[in-house]
Amino acid sequence: GSTGSAATVQVGTVTTGAPGTSASVSNSGTNQNAILDFVIPSGQTGSAPPASFLTAYSVPSQSGTSGSPIIFDRNGVSAGTSITHASNSPSVVINKTGYYGVSFNVTVSAVTSSTLPQSVQLYLQQNGSTVSGAGASHNFRSSGENESLSFYLTISVQTTPATLTVMINGGPMTYSDASITVNRLGNI
């Protein structure tokens, strides 16, 4: 046969269709100069994952020594079942794998009978092992000195249950206004 003219193809309009409808392509041009118009359905609107967090805190001033945990005597606001804490306990228990944000704050004070200077470190343990990067420290230089310490870290929980504990190294000391907040951030 005889040589024909070269055909062209262009993209015309791209439209978002309603969720659940079928995708379609139509030619709004000619067979020789095609202009393809696309309709692509949007996805279904998803829902936000349920909130999962827990706050525990300590009201009275308490004594602390090296090797002992910080005790959280009360529970604050919480949602979900992924994170639990028994009142008057040092342990926060995570019951679902995932990524978690852990925030800790406390005010520490040197004991007046302590030999000064004195160093105190507070650090997070997960199942009895120290979590790198989750700690805070202070060197007391005078008796009665107060210092606010805090840390925040995202941790990965790959097996459950996982137990979180804030431990003391150094001291003796007293602590007050201790709080820990654990938020589930997402799946692994």
Side-chain angles (χ1 to χ4, degrees):
S2 60
T3 303
S5 323
T8 61
V9 176
Q10 295 178 22
V11 173
T13 60
V14 178
T15 306
T16 302
T21 60
S22 297
S24 64
V25 179
S26 60
N27 182 0
S28 61
T30 66
N31 287 341
Q32 197 63 24
N33 296 309
I35 300 172
L36 301 179
D37 298 319
F38 294 85
V39 177
I40 301 170
S42 66
Q44 297 289 339
T45 301
S47 61
S52 185
F53 60 87
L54 178 132
T55 298
Y57 59 97
S58 182
V59 174
S61 180
Q62 298 185 47
S63 297
T65 58
S66 194
S68 65
I70 299 288
I71 305 294
F72 303 102
D73 67 329
R74 299 175 189 216
N75 289 326
V77 178
S78 67
T81 59
S82 299
I83 310 156
T84 60
H85 172 262
S87 295
N88 234 7
S89 162
S91 301
V92 174
V93 179
I94 297 176
N95 301 304
K96 185 175 182 179
T97 60
Y99 293 108
Y100 289 82
V102 180
S103 176
F104 171 76
N105 301 284
V106 68
T107 300
V108 294
S109 304
V111 175
T112 55
S113 63
S114 299
T115 303
L116 299 170
Q118 175 191 41
S119 179
V120 172
Q121 299 87 32
L122 302 174
Y123 58 93
L124 183 67
Q125 283 189 341
Q126 181 176 344
N127 293 332
S129 296
T130 300
V131 177
S132 297
S137 63
H138 181 70
N139 290 317
F140 292 107
R141 291 179 181 77
S142 62
S143 75
E145 181 180 349
N146 295 320
E147 184 68 21
S148 293
L149 300 177
S150 63
F151 60 76
Y152 176 86
L153 191 70
T154 300
I155 63 169
S156 172
V157 174
Q158 298 182 17
T159 59
T160 58
T163 301
L164 304 180
T165 309
V166 178
M167 299 298 294
I168 301 168
N169 184 33
M173 63 166 213
T174 58
Y175 64 90
S176 59
D177 302 321
S179 68
I180 189 167
T181 300
V182 181
N183 292 289
R184 187 168 194 283
L185 303 174
N187 294 328
I188 292 178

